[in-house]
Amino acid sequence: MASILIVEDEAPIAGLLSDHLTRRGHAVTVAADGEEALVQLGLGADPAPSPPELVVLDVMLPGRTGLDVCSALRRAPLPRQPVVLMLTAKRNEEDAVAGFEAGADDYVRKPFGVAELV
């Protein structure tokens, strides 16, 4: 199955997603903020061996926002770019457009159905 990085500062949401995706056979890691996400994506001081296939990325994170992380990821010379699914409580059209402009492949608004996201 897929390798997935969940970047979510709300522990209950991160845990719920991680549990559901792990039960479906995916290899899941979790980052609680933008800086930790960059490290796990191999964009920090020590490059990661290989980026995940999918990044589920919250927009409103402590420190660097999900938009910042997505933009940095898209600029990085990785061997392959992961799919980025932005997950956010922001509801207006301008926020969705900003997510796509930052490089997101899809944009899911909270609250969301876990089954639909998975």
Side-chain angles (χ1 to χ4, degrees):
M1 291 288 193
S3 59
I4 301 172
L5 172 62
I6 298 170
V7 186
E8 172 62 62
D9 62 323
E10 294 182 47
I13 293 174
L16 179 70
L17 289 175
S18 180
D19 289 347
H20 279 273
L21 292 166
T22 300
R23 275 189 257 144
R24 285 172 175 74
H26 300 291
V28 178
T29 56
V30 177
D33 59 47
E35 291 301 326
E36 184 180 352
L38 291 174
V39 169
Q40 290 196 31
L41 289 165
L43 305 179
D46 297 320
S50 111
E53 295 168 68
L54 170 66
V55 178
V56 179
L57 181 59
D58 187 11
V59 173
M60 295 185 289
L61 295 167
R64 287 184 178 236
T65 69
L67 296 174
D68 293 340
V69 171
C70 190
S71 293
L73 176 60
R74 293 305 188 215
R75 288 190 309 269
L78 298 173
R80 79 176 147 70
Q81 283 282 328
V83 172
V84 176
L85 185 142
M86 289 230 165
L87 186 62
T88 184
K90 293 188 169 207
R91 311 222 27 96
N92 65 38
E93 183 178 12
E94 294 82 17
D95 293 320
V97 169
F100 289 120
E101 287 176 346
D105 295 292
D106 205 351
Y107 193 91
V108 175
R109 291 173 178 91
K110 295 176 184 175
F112 59 91
V114 174
E116 179 183 0
L117 187 132
V118 169

